[in-house]
Amino acid sequence: MQAGWLDWGRLDFEAVLQMAFSTFPHQPVQVVAHSIGGVLVGLAPSNHLIDRVFTMGAQFAHWRDYASHKRLGMLIKWHAVMPAFTAILGYFPGGMLGWMEDTPRGVVRDWTAREPRFEDAFRNGPHALTEEERAKLVEGFATFHGPMLALSVTDDEFGTASAIERLLAYFRNSPITHLRIAPETMGYPEIGHFAFFHSRFEASLWQIPLEWLKARSVRTDLAGFIVKTGAR
């Protein structure tokens, strides 16, 4: 249970990509990523082979980006309680607590880092990287050149506008469209950080990434919700 974000990206996600490339050698490989999944795209050595990417609420949980009205509670929950449980048990029992899935110790370590830049989470400690290695982490994001649609929702306490843009800035060679919508404009009282992939949204919200992945287009009625588009 020692795996961290770097392992998830450079080993696990990379292995999935390699399997997809070898199994379907003549087909474009497209990626749907949620939350930390957007970071894993930048960490995979083969990301330059990805055709296009859709992300939902993708960021790396820098605490200053949390929604201001929930920031204190989130700091207590995710940056105090979660590492405390992890220190005692050797992993975070998210399933037992009903928070999320069980999580490795290394992921909790990376999640609770306080630095505003992703690579600086690996500046100190037993898993520290050299300055050159941290620079290579950043360059890894720049090797992805495919188009990306980043969707965020206004009631996502993790995926605030600043959090989304903080991560997107790393993909400086990718044409990016950031689409930020309010749940009520889609006819829903709430969506939040975790609910997008629930089947109740199949006929509505799911059509946004489907259209993007099929035709690299965004519904015309959502054009007014585009925050930014173009290379970073």
Side-chain angles (χ1 to χ4, degrees), residues 13 20 71 76 91 96 112 138 177 214:
F13 182 54
R71 186 175 299 147
I76 295 172
Y91 75 102
M96 180 184 71
T112 55
V138 176
T177 298
K214 290 172 62 177

Side-chain angles (χ1 to χ4, degrees), residues 57-214:
Q59 34 67 51
F60 54 89
H62 177 52
W63 68 273
R64 289 186 183 275
D65 291 330
Y66 293 159
S68 57
H69 65 293
K70 293 187 176 181
R71 186 175 299 147
L72 178 59
M74 293 175 71
L75 278 169
I76 295 172
K77 180 176 182 178
W78 300 110
H79 295 261
V81 176
M82 182 168 67
F85 269 102
T86 303
I88 295 171
L89 299 176
Y91 75 102
F92 178 63
M96 180 184 71
L97 295 174
W99 289 12
M100 55 180 188
E101 65 277 0
D102 292 351
T103 307
R105 179 199 300 268
V107 170
V108 173
R109 177 197 66 234
D110 297 341
W111 187 334
T112 55
R114 300 179 180 179
E115 289 76 6
R117 290 193 58 83
F118 170 77
E119 67 275 16
D120 287 341
F122 309 99
R123 182 183 294 275
N124 301 303
H127 302 277
L129 301 177
T130 66
E131 183 175 352
E132 181 180 0
E133 289 171 330
R134 294 196 304 275
K136 286 183 178 179
L137 281 185
V138 176
E139 287 305 310
F141 288 81
T143 61
F144 174 64
H145 289 75
M148 178 185 296
L149 174 63
L151 176 63
S152 63
V153 292
T154 57
D155 68 330
D156 181 351
E157 64 269 27
F158 289 101
T160 59
S162 60
I164 303 299
E165 289 294 324
R166 187 183 299 276
L167 173 59
L168 293 181
Y170 281 84
F171 293 97
R172 63 178 185 270
N173 291 322
S174 177
I176 297 175
T177 298
H178 179 185
L179 179 67
R180 185 165 181 82
I181 60 178
E184 57 270 20
T185 63
M186 303 295 292
Y188 298 107
E190 61 182 9
I191 299 173
H193 186 66
F194 296 101
F196 180 89
F197 297 98
H198 193 283
S199 60
R200 68 177 179 271
F201 296 129
E202 179 178 0
S204 54
L205 297 178
W206 289 11
Q207 300 307 305
I208 298 172
L210 182 62
E211 186 172 336
W212 169 259
L213 295 174
K214 290 172 62 177

Side-chain angles (χ1 to χ4, degrees), residues 179 181 185-186 208 211 218-226:
L179 179 67
I181 60 178
T185 63
M186 303 295 292
I208 298 172
E211 186 172 336
V218 178
R219 284 172 25 187
T220 55
D221 62 311
L222 295 176
F225 299 102
I226 293 177

Side-chain angles (χ1 to χ4, degrees), residues 21-43:
F21 297 143
S22 61
T23 305
F24 307 100
H26 304 297
Q27 296 295 324
V29 172
Q30 301 175 340
V31 172
V32 174
H34 173 247
S35 196
I36 188 60
V39 177
L40 304 190
V41 172
L43 296 177

